[in-house]
Amino acid sequence: MEHYYQPEIECASREQIIELQNERLVKQVRHVYDNVEYYRKKMEEKGVTPEDIKSIDDLHKLPFLTKDDLRDAYPYGLVAVPLSDCVRIQSTSGTTGRRVVAFYTQHDIDLWDECCARAIVAVGGTKEDVVHVCYGYGLFTGGPGLNGGSHKVGSLTLPMSSGNTDRQIQFMTDLGSTILCCTPSYAAYLGESINERGLKDQIKLKAGIFGAEAWTEEMRRDIEKSLGIKAYDIYGLTEISGPGVSFECSEQTGMHINEDHFIAEIIDPNTGEVLPEGEKGELVFTSITKEAFPLLRYRTRDICVLSRKKCSCGRTHVKMTKPMGRSDDMLIVKGVNVFPSQIETVLLNKGYAANYQIIVDRVNNSDTLEVQVEMTPEMFSDSVTEVAVKEKELVNALKAMLGIYAKVKLVAPKTITRSEGKAVRIIDNRHLY
Ligand code: DLL
């Protein structure tokens, strides 16, 4: 039998949802216009006033927000309440220009937790469950989000955070974890490790909630088999709150977007034109209940398709496919957002030219990142020790910039193929989309 955390809203009629969205959107536009000078200016430039927005049919009149806007307004420029009303920030990795810092009031946290609670109940979670959270805690939204959701459900929550696989498995067996929350690559790794240790019959897991990075149906089957569970997808982004913007139900054919909090649109990434349901394009969100950091028409850069086809689970909220790619060059490696420009900055700062290639792969279900860099003729050396010292220096500088390990391979001048058009900087052998 299907269970819901908030059945009255998760299974509301289309009319009820639209009515709620209309009312909340009008209120939210006024809130943003009155309190966020940055967005007010954008509206003025487009000649739109809050009075022009009477319902969701007027949404297209509002200007888009992009990551560039977040950078321009960093750190406080998009905050819509006094800082004394904010109780938390969360953030993505990256340097100042690329880092996203999102703000939350207590009310924002409560609603976010409820979204995650919906996801946990959708996979069968109840207060009898032991929810094992090994998404990272701290600035990353994964740990805090699922942690908050689990508390709302009343499950016993294990705030494990990431890493230390032996300890994860020990807690899992000793405390009888039943729902696992982590990235799909870590879930696959845990599955392998548990099987290698011959401990599969000692774990009680029944379901997993896996997201923050792209994963394929094949990977889902592998994880389900190795852990003996049902594996569900969950999607979200820091800008819009974190995990739980959408989540999978028992049908496992896409993720229901929490439409009482987020209005979703699909646009053509080149023209910005809104596309009809069923067409593939860039996902855009308007958060209609956020107090502290309410983004209107935020371009996620995630490419997907929306569907309102009736779902067998009884939920009525629109479904999105798994992201099928991105309309920018952001890579997600081990769950961390990596922009090629960050890597380039490090290389240039260290005196290299912009002749490099980034090679991403997935080996034993774990992402690997390698940067091949040409030495300049001046720094060229055929001493293995000298090259190793230089490589180590770059590894450290990249780690400081990206927060993750990247293997560095220095190559002789003029060995990286030059392109006649756009340089081919990224070779992603994971073929996730
Ligand atoms: O990854 C939030 C999250 C945490 C989601 C835990 C799910 C579970 P960011 O670090 O801001 O937030 O990265 C957001 O990650 O725009 C997508 O490109 C990608 N992403 C998130 N979930 C999925 C997913 C968190 N289920 C960016 N499938 C998004 C594919 C995903 N990509």
Side-chain angles (χ1 to χ4, degrees):
M1 203 181 98
E2 192 78 31
H3 291 282
Y4 314 98
Y5 181 65
Q6 291 165 314
E8 65 299 339
I9 184 67
E10 291 178 69
C11 304
S13 69
R14 195 73 228 124
E15 294 71 36
Q16 284 171 319
I17 294 172
I18 290 177
E19 200 182 317
L20 194 66
Q21 287 189 333
N22 286 340
E23 186 194 310
R24 289 182 172 175
L25 175 67
V26 169
K27 226 172 113 198
Q28 187 71 306
V29 172
R30 170 53 71 189
H31 171 55
V32 173
Y33 187 85
D34 288 348
N35 296 297
V36 182
E37 191 192 344
Y38 186 91
Y39 198 75
R40 180 165 64 242
K41 283 200 180 131
K42 282 192 88 109
M43 283 177 67
E44 281 164 4
E45 273 161 27
K46 224 179 162 220
V48 201
T49 63
E51 290 70 35
D52 295 324
I53 311 299
K54 297 190 173 64
S55 74
I56 54 171
D57 295 338
D58 297 320
L59 190 59
H60 68 277
K61 297 179 182 164
L62 289 169
F64 291 117
L65 274 172
T66 63
K67 257 204 168 61
D68 285 343
D69 290 307
L70 263 59
R71 186 180 55 208
D72 291 348
Y74 176 87
Y76 295 125
L78 291 166
V79 180
V81 296
L83 276 185
S84 54
D85 290 348
C86 295
V87 297
R88 168 105 67 86
I89 64 149
Q90 301 287 160
S91 177
T92 60
S93 60
T95 44
T96 318
R98 292 296 188 179
R99 185 184 298 137
V100 172
V101 177
F103 296 75
Y104 305 75
T105 62
Q106 186 54 53
H107 186 62
D108 293 333
I109 303 260
D110 284 339
L111 298 187
W112 175 26
D113 289 350
E114 282 177 12
C115 288
C116 290
R118 289 179 192 176
I120 293 171
V121 172
V123 310
T126 68
K127 66 191 289 295
E128 309 304 328
D129 277 291
V130 180
V131 177
H132 188 113
V133 185
C134 38
Y135 286 114
Y137 279 66
L139 288 172
F140 181 54
T141 54
L146 270 307
N147 192 92
S150 175
H151 277 227
K152 288 269 181 208
V153 176
S155 311
L156 178 62
T157 312
L158 310 192
M160 301 299 302
S161 201
S162 48
N164 200 339
T165 302
D166 282 326
R167 190 177 63 187
Q168 301 283 1
I169 297 175
Q170 194 183 353
F171 271 80
M172 209 174 269
T173 49
D174 290 355
L175 292 163
S177 308
T178 54
I179 296 178
L180 174 65
C181 306
C182 60
T183 58
S185 19
Y186 194 56
Y189 180 67
L190 274 172
E192 264 172 36
S193 310
I194 287 167
N195 284 293
E196 270 165 24
R197 291 165 176 71
L199 293 173
K200 190 165 172 194
D201 57 351
Q202 288 188 42
I203 61 160
K204 296 207 177 73
L205 289 179
K206 60 179 188 187
I209 304 179
F210 307 130
E213 63 182 6
W215 52 311
T216 57
E217 284 304 317
E218 290 72 38
M219 196 160 166
R220 189 203 304 262
R221 280 194 292 276
D222 281 356
I223 296 172
E224 291 193 332
K225 197 161 157 236
S226 75
L227 286 169
I229 61 170
K230 288 275 260 176
Y232 298 87
D233 206 348
I234 185 165
Y235 167 90
L237 60 165
T238 312
E239 297 90 313
I240 300 300
S241 64
V245 170
S246 66
F247 60 92
E248 243 178 10
C249 61
S250 53
E251 210 181 75
Q252 293 181 300
T253 54
M255 296 174 272
H256 290 283
I257 295 171
N258 285 309
E259 284 191 280
D260 50 331
H261 300 301
F262 317 109
I263 302 177
E265 299 171 276
I266 292 287
I267 61 159
D268 176 326
N270 299 316
T271 63
E273 180 205 351
V274 179
L275 299 177
E277 184 197 322
E279 282 198 28
K280 184 164 138 182
E282 183 183 331
L283 186 57
V284 173
F285 281 117
T286 296
S287 47
I288 46 177
T289 48
K290 271 283 208 78
E291 293 175 338
F293 201 67
L295 301 191
L296 305 183
R297 300 198 87 201
Y298 181 68
R299 292 185 57 166
T300 63
R301 299 289 175 185
D302 289 319
I303 303 290
C304 71
V305 177
L306 295 182
S307 162
R308 294 201 179 278
K309 237 176 83 200
K310 196 167 184 298
C311 186
S312 61
C313 78
R315 288 179 184 77
T316 46
H317 293 202
V318 69
K319 271 162 64 167
M320 60 180 270
T321 57
K322 278 175 179 296
M324 300 161 159
R326 291 193 49 92
S327 66
D328 63 5
D329 57 357
M330 185 178 95
L331 290 162
I332 301 184
V333 183
K334 296 186 179 165
V336 173
N337 303 347
V338 173
F339 288 91
S341 55
Q342 294 175 290
I343 294 180
E344 188 165 312
T345 303
V346 170
L347 301 181
L348 297 181
N349 283 343
K350 294 280 173 199
Y352 294 81
N355 295 318
Y356 64 93
Q357 236 164 15
I358 300 167
I359 299 149
V360 192
D361 211 334
R362 194 162 274 183
V363 180
N364 294 332
N365 290 312
S366 179
D367 290 338
T368 59
L369 174 63
E370 177 175 321
V371 185
Q372 296 192 354
V373 194
E374 266 185 20
M375 287 177 275
T376 58
E378 302 77 55
M379 60 172 67
F380 181 63
S381 158
D382 49 13
S383 146
V384 177
T385 327
E386 256 178 59
V387 170
V389 169
K390 286 198 169 75
E391 285 176 344
K392 183 92 197 5
E393 187 192 28
L394 277 184
V395 166
N396 292 341
L398 287 169
K399 177 101 204 274
M401 173 69 101
L402 308 172
I404 53 169
Y405 168 75
K407 182 175 169 189
V408 171
K409 191 165 163 205
L410 288 179
V411 297
K414 304 240 173 333
T415 43
I416 289 183
T417 323
R418 302 293 190 266
S419 162
E420 291 183 354
K422 271 179 191 260
V424 183
R425 299 266 187 242
I426 304 168
I427 301 173
D428 194 337
N429 292 323
R430 298 174 298 180
H431 307 299
L432 291 170
Y433 299 116

